[in-house]
Amino acid sequence: MSGPQQRLIQVASHIGPKKGSSVIEQKNPDDIVVTCALRSALTKGGKGGFKDTAAADILTGVFKGVIDRSGIDPNLVEDISVGTVLAPGGGATEFRAAALVAGFPESTAVKGLNRQCSSGLQAIVDIANAIKSGMIDVGIGAGVESMSSQYGPGAVTEFSDLLENHEESANCKVPMGVLSEQMAKDRKISRADQDAFAASSYQKAVKAQKAGLFKEEILPLDVKWTDPKTNEEKTITVSADDGIRDGMTPESLGKIRPAFAKDGSIHAGNASQISDGAAAVLLMKRSTAERLGQKIIGKFVSASVVGVKPLLMGIGPWKAIPVALEKAGITKDDVDIYEINEAFASQCVWCVNELGLPLEKINPKGGAIAFGHPLGCTGARQISTLFTELKRTDKKIGVTSMCVGTGMGMAAVWVRE
């Protein structure tokens, strides 16, 4: 390894104590703080608890939950940004409607945005930046996806001849599974390593769920659900991630047939699950939170977004995390927990190894392989997962990150209070 890649690794290992963890833990009136972070359960696409629920309806429930849990006056929320990937029209119409149904006034603006798998995080960072610039005082960043209703071939539009005739541009259209196979071969990530990582994700998630460690971050929602056996519609309460499977081991995963190539290593057991869900984060300045009597659970410190080769999109966190750490003025060793999205075990394993991160700091309650990756939701979901685990373990600093389709990566640094 040489050149830019080597320099990035050096940055991750030797970022000087320009600020240091003790400094980013200090409290200032202009800090952008989080006073509520919650999510719905994540359910199996086409099969789970939200299979018959529109994305906007899940989002409405989460919006109501933010109002109820935080006690915020809805009239004070000036803007809501919602990350989504598959919703037609970017979800602009239904998300505005969802906010109104949830109890926000007509004065609260709403937008949908799509930066693929980092859409939820981008939505939150957009709100943080709007507050920091003085554009608004209080806002919500959120993410939602119904992969049950909107996932499929139509998610990728047709390319023009102009785009197809440019090599890197054409690579943006390569399907994720095929792309991940190519990356695994290019970066020499073995099937055994992928299956071992995936099994660990399942095992951590099973342990966490049995111990009730997700309950604080999950908002139970009542929804209509049609029983596929009887075709009877009922009202059910969705309060737990239903994709978590017990008994997963490297050996059992090793028996699953590769999904994208006969000699491949990517399969349904070591890739993220297709899921439905929503999450939201309430943000404002510290001075505003104190004036309103809002309980501060943590603060936003820094974020980064970077580009990488489209065919190597999975390496995005490896490039984005050092940039976010440098902006925060801390080293990789100052971080207590890393929530790195498990789009595929292959890319997560490679990023963790290249950055030299201890496995015990990675997704301590499991990740998307175990409980799902509703595309636009994940970047927001990670924050509720992160803050509840930092609180439970009495730790302070966390990083959320993910690779992004077409060749990008995003990361953010957070501090619990």
Side-chain angles (χ1 to χ4, degrees), residues 2 39 60 108 114 132 176 227 286 304 343 362 374 416:
S2 61
R39 67 177 179 96
T60 299
T108 301
N114 181 1
K132 188 177 293 187
M176 288 290 174
D227 189 321
R286 182 182 301 279
S304 64
I362 311 300
R416 179 191 70 87

Side-chain angles (χ1 to χ4, degrees), residues 40-46 50-51 53-60 62 82-91 94-95 113-120 142-152 155 273-279 372-381:
S40 72
L42 306 187
T43 69
K44 293 183 287 188
F50 291 135
K51 73 179 179 69
T53 305
D57 291 335
I58 309 172
L59 189 64
T60 299
V62 169
V82 184
T84 193
V85 178
L86 303 173
E94 57 264 44
F95 299 163
L113 67 84
N114 181 1
R115 199 193 285 274
Q116 302 214 41
C117 297
S118 66
S119 297
V144 67
E145 210 73 66
S146 171
M147 298 183 78
S148 287
S149 61
Q150 293 165 339
Y151 184 67
Q273 296 184 36
I274 293 171
S275 309
D276 307 323
H373 173 32
L375 305 175
C377 168
T378 292
R381 188 278 304 167

